[in-house]
Amino acid sequence: MSQAIDHVRAPGAQFNFAQHLIECNATRPQKIAFIDDVGTLSYGELAERIRRTAAGLLAAGLRREERVLLLMQDSSDWVVSFLGAMYAGLVPVAVNTLLTAEDYAYMLQHSRAQAALVSDVLLPTLRQAMGQGGHELRAVVVSRPGADAQAAGDVVSLEALISANAPLAVAAPTSPDDPGFWLYSSGSTGRPKGTTHTHANPYWTAELYGKPVLGLVEQDICFSAAKLFFAYGLGNGLSFPLSVGATVVLMAERPTPEATFKRWTEHQPTVFFGAPTGFAGMLASPKLPARKDVALRLASSAGEALPADLGERFTAHFGIEIIDGIGSTEMLHIYLSNLPGRVRYGTTGWPVPGYDVELRGDDGRPVPDGETGDLYVRGPSAALLYWGNREKSRETFQGAWTKSGDKYVRNADGTFTYSGRSDDMLKVSGIYVSPFEVEATLVQHPAVLEAAVVGMVDAEGLTKTKAYVVLKAGQQVGQDELKAFVKERLAPYKYPRQIEFLSELPKTATGKIQRFKLRELDSARS
């Protein structure tokens, strides 16, 4: 490992992340790398398909560092397309599969993508996006196309592209700091931003988190509810397992409890990557498998802070820990995390070795333990910039430091407790109130499945807390009971002044609650 790290850090070094992963697994060509909805792919087959895809994209007239849109459901074809583009020196732009044609039209124009790699089921939406923006592509490559796509004649199947081209013998001579790929921010606070990552960034997340913290080894079978287009999912389902030669289970469908349980029992993954919303749904499901029916040794959670109650109940049922952590699209993966055998439920744990973390006040100075501050992080996996957005780039990437947009409190034992997003924090009667703290208390009530808390401005212009609550199936509870429940557990000023019951909360595709939509809902009514 030390030699590889020295090489990645060396000035003028040559490093191509796709080539790096191929070399990592050159001695295990027969080992199964991926199990998806249609079959398996060995490491030897993976390397061959990556190199042939790279050759095919270059043969289509694409040039070094040009962007290619990657709009695919999770499958081995997604991985082949992503790494094939990187091997060729192109820049894959991995996008959310649940967006609208208008969203993709914006992303095509913003990224100036010259080609698209797309799942057959998403091809009609891509065509709409191309029509809306008038954006022409040199090539549209379709994963597992149906009869309609093939009959149209204006696309090429990924399989045909692979078959028609000999493997590209040598990877593009990229450097560790060259643009490697883009990820768009989730949009939980508005317009998505094109976050530009380097070839070295996924290497660092694997070396600093995947191997030492999760302890991933070749014998592991990894399964992530978070999709590959999400920074969290990209590490879970590609960078981490491929860096150690593990096997990955991929599925195209949404990670409902039933779909997740099916993979747990059929493929027996040893490490599962989820999010708090998913864990809540699974624990509430009557189909939750028994401990003896799964092979899990560890679970990971990110996306939002994990309520202590969820972690404790999961551990009580399955006998394993959930390692809760926080990462971001900007930092690519987790930099603050609980540790196996050292879990403090209700906190986000300690800084991951290799990353520095600071909490700063409004004046930019460090805050003492016990006080809320803005979380800044410094580490080698930080993105280069937001493409075409200098103002936001300067605001977020401040020298060696990245402003996370999250507020935290550092505890006496060195752990950090989440206090909400910087733009979600509420100041009630001159005192900060963490929406997450109120939410975490509400979900402890036996009738509550999920909760989201936002600020509401009253007739006097003062901010008060309002909770949106989703009840468990068949459960009923009144506002007064829930308010009293919170008052008994938190300081009285923190209880929600209003509670509204909803059938579901608005969320991004990665499971994050979109509190700005709840605020917009209130504004529209007033």
Side-chain angles (χ1 to χ4, degrees):
M1 172 179 166
S2 60
Q3 289 183 340
I5 288 177
D6 290 343
H7 175 73
V8 173
R9 284 177 170 157
Q14 185 172 311
F15 182 80
N16 182 293
F17 183 63
Q19 173 65 21
H20 166 71
L21 292 181
I22 290 173
E23 291 174 351
C24 284
N25 297 292
T27 59
R28 53 175 74 90
Q30 303 304 318
K31 173 81 186 294
I32 297 299
F34 290 97
I35 303 168
D36 68 9
D37 295 340
V38 300
T40 63
L41 190 71
S42 71
Y43 273 104
E45 292 167 333
L46 175 63
E48 177 84 359
R49 290 173 72 84
I50 289 170
R51 288 178 163 136
R52 287 179 178 270
T53 298
L57 292 173
L58 294 177
L62 297 170
R63 297 169 296 185
R64 178 88 173 264
E65 293 186 11
E66 287 185 328
R67 271 78 66 191
V68 294
L69 194 79
L70 178 53
L71 175 58
M72 282 188 189
Q73 294 179 329
D74 279 16
S75 69
S76 62
D77 278 357
W78 196 106
V79 179
V80 167
S81 299
F82 183 83
L83 294 177
M86 292 186 75
Y87 190 89
L90 305 173
V91 180
V93 179
V95 298
N96 186 330
T97 58
L98 301 177
L99 302 180
T100 65
E102 289 79 9
D103 293 317
Y104 299 132
Y106 165 74
M107 291 172 176
L108 284 168
Q109 292 288 349
H110 181 248
S111 68
R112 297 197 287 276
Q114 297 300 302
L117 298 115
V118 60
S119 293
D120 180 67
V121 70
L122 297 168
L123 180 59
T125 307
L126 176 65
R127 290 193 194 278
Q128 291 179 39
M130 293 168 63
Q132 288 179 17
H135 191 84
E136 295 186 4
L137 298 173
R138 292 183 199 161
V140 176
V141 182
V142 183
S143 168
R144 302 164 186 171
D148 290 346
Q150 296 183 57
D154 60 345
V155 302
V156 61
S157 75
L158 179 61
E159 202 60 45
L161 181 139
I162 289 171
S163 300
N165 290 274
L168 187 64
V170 180
T174 52
S175 80
D177 291 335
D178 278 353
F181 59 95
W182 288 19
L183 298 173
Y184 274 96
S185 62
S186 63
S188 60
T189 56
R191 194 71 151 172
K193 301 177 288 292
T195 311
T196 305
H197 279 285
T198 70
H199 273 264
N201 284 0
Y203 166 85
W204 286 116
T205 62
E207 293 300 323
L208 298 178
Y209 187 77
K211 293 178 182 178
V213 176
L214 296 176
L216 291 184
V217 294
E218 181 180 0
Q219 291 73 31
D220 276 315
I221 299 174
C222 299
F223 174 46
S224 176
K227 299 300 184 179
L228 289 166
F229 64 75
F230 181 35
Y232 178 49
L234 183 65
N236 306 338
L238 193 156
S239 306
F240 296 173
L242 266 59
S243 70
V244 299
T247 296
V248 183
V249 177
L250 297 174
M251 70 175 182
E253 65 185 297
R254 288 195 316 114
T256 62
E258 291 76 13
T260 299
F261 299 156
K262 183 174 186 288
R263 273 71 182 185
W264 281 5
T265 55
E266 287 187 2
H267 301 301
Q268 296 289 294
T270 57
V271 182
F272 174 71
F273 303 87
T277 299
F279 285 114
M282 288 187 288
L283 288 171
S285 172
K287 298 182 180 179
L288 185 69
R291 182 187 302 190
K292 64 179 178 60
D293 295 328
V294 303
L296 297 174
R297 69 166 182 84
L298 186 67
S300 168
S301 179
E304 289 189 301
L306 180 75
D309 177 63
L310 277 180
E312 290 162 357
R313 287 194 287 127
F314 190 90
T315 296
H317 183 85
F318 288 109
I320 66 166
E321 298 168 318
I322 299 180
I323 308 303
D324 184 32
I326 184 174
S328 65
T329 303
E330 292 75 13
M331 294 303 295
L332 192 55
H333 214 276
I334 291 170
Y335 51 82
L336 188 63
S337 181
N338 280 272
L339 305 171
R342 195 184 180 199
V343 170
R344 302 288 187 274
Y345 283 133
T347 80
T348 316
W350 298 265
V352 172
Y355 293 92
D356 297 314
V357 169
E358 283 187 3
L359 297 184
R360 303 178 188 173
D362 293 339
D363 59 2
R365 297 179 179 177
V367 300
D369 287 0
E371 291 191 15
T372 299
D374 291 304
L375 179 68
Y376 287 74
V377 57
R378 177 172 61 187
S381 63
L384 292 172
L385 48 76
Y386 297 130
W387 181 263
N389 195 334
R390 178 178 289 190
E391 180 181 356
K392 283 292 184 183
S393 294
R394 285 177 168 173
E395 181 182 320
T396 300
F397 304 107
Q398 302 181 13
W401 293 90
T402 299
K403 184 177 182 180
S404 72
D406 295 295
K407 285 188 177 288
Y408 266 85
V409 173
R410 187 180 186 275
N411 305 309
D413 63 355
T415 60
F416 288 74
T417 299
Y418 183 63
S419 295
R421 290 288 297 173
S422 298
D423 52 2
D424 286 334
M425 286 294 289
L426 308 175
K427 217 168 191 180
V428 180
S429 301
I431 306 172
Y432 272 123
V433 174
S434 164
F436 176 75
E437 185 180 23
V438 182
E439 293 163 8
T441 303
L442 282 166
V443 298
Q444 292 175 28
H445 191 283
V448 175
L449 177 63
E450 294 180 304
V453 172
V454 298
M456 172 192 66
V457 178
D458 65 13
E460 297 178 310
L462 300 174
T463 299
K464 305 297 182 184
T465 51
K466 178 174 181 178
Y468 289 86
V469 171
V470 178
L471 298 179
K472 295 177 182 176
Q475 296 291 317
Q476 291 186 340
V477 65
Q479 287 196 44
D480 290 343
E481 181 179 339
L482 287 181
K483 290 178 182 179
F485 185 83
V486 175
K487 284 182 180 179
E488 291 171 1
R489 289 160 177 78
L490 298 178
Y493 69 87
K494 295 184 178 181
Y495 85 93
R497 300 318 195 261
Q498 288 189 20
I499 297 177
E500 183 173 338
F501 297 96
L502 299 177
S503 59
E504 61 180 0
L505 298 176
K507 296 170 187 169
T508 68
T510 55
K512 291 183 180 179
I513 296 170
Q514 294 175 306
R515 292 177 180 81
F516 76 96
K517 287 193 175 181
L518 296 173
R519 288 191 288 267
E520 290 172 355
L521 181 65
D522 264 339
S523 297
R525 292 171 175 169
S526 59

